[in-house]
Amino acid sequence: MNPSWIVMLLVVLAGGATALQAPTNARLAGAAASPVNAALISFLVGTAALSLLALTLQTRPDAAAMKALPWWTWIGGLYGAIFVVCAAWSVPRLGVALTVILMVAGQILISVLLDHFGALGVPKQPLNLTRLLGVLLVFGGVLLVRRG
């Protein structure tokens, strides 16, 4: 099997985990009294899991390299927190499919802009007709899922 296919399969599975995460946290939000409390619990569990994995892999960060990073590299967790709270809040209102496809649409929209401008250190990949059609197909999917 081509290694790039393995990587793509893992990314698809990670995306599937996002679809599982949304209703899981929505259910947790009901019992925890808010989507913010559910997100906090979710991040605590994730932190514990990542801590165990880091200890198992014996990875050590390069302190000098980390100090040299720009400020915006430190706020990735904030994006995740927004994502988890929004998913936990929106699933009971919109359903899993519409919530996830709207999130994917947002991811794709921001992704093509980041690629086009080479923002945040990503390689520049200009927006072209093919990429634009891909974005429009996803937004068409939003409309189709919404109509149900």
Side-chain angles (χ1 to χ4, degrees):
M1 184 180 272
N2 183 334
S4 64
W5 286 104
I6 294 169
V7 171
M8 289 191 291
L9 176 61
L10 289 174
V11 172
V12 168
L13 293 174
T18 302
L20 294 170
Q21 183 183 36
T24 302
N25 287 332
R27 182 74 184 265
L28 183 58
S34 84
V36 174
N37 291 341
L40 177 61
I41 293 165
S42 178
F43 274 84
L44 288 172
V45 171
T47 298
L50 289 172
S51 296
L52 287 173
L53 184 60
L55 286 171
T56 301
L57 297 175
Q58 299 179 348
T59 57
R60 299 185 197 278
D62 179 343
M66 290 179 66
K67 286 179 184 176
L69 291 170
W71 68 268
W72 50 264
T73 61
W74 294 96
I75 62 172
L78 177 60
Y79 308 138
I82 292 166
F83 181 91
V84 171
V85 170
C86 184
W89 178 82
S90 62
V91 163
R93 291 160 178 81
L94 302 175
V96 177
L98 187 55
T99 295
V100 171
I101 198 165
L102 286 168
M103 289 183 156
V104 169
Q107 290 170 349
I108 290 173
L109 181 63
I110 297 301
S111 297
V112 296
L113 291 173
L114 291 171
D115 280 352
H116 180 74
F117 294 107
L120 303 181
V122 303
K124 211 172 197 180
Q125 295 183 35
L127 185 61
N128 58 31
L129 183 59
T130 306
R131 293 180 127 224
L132 182 60
L133 288 173
V135 171
L136 292 175
L137 282 172
V138 171
F139 280 91
V142 169
L143 295 174
L144 292 173
V145 169
R146 175 76 173 112
R147 290 194 78 188

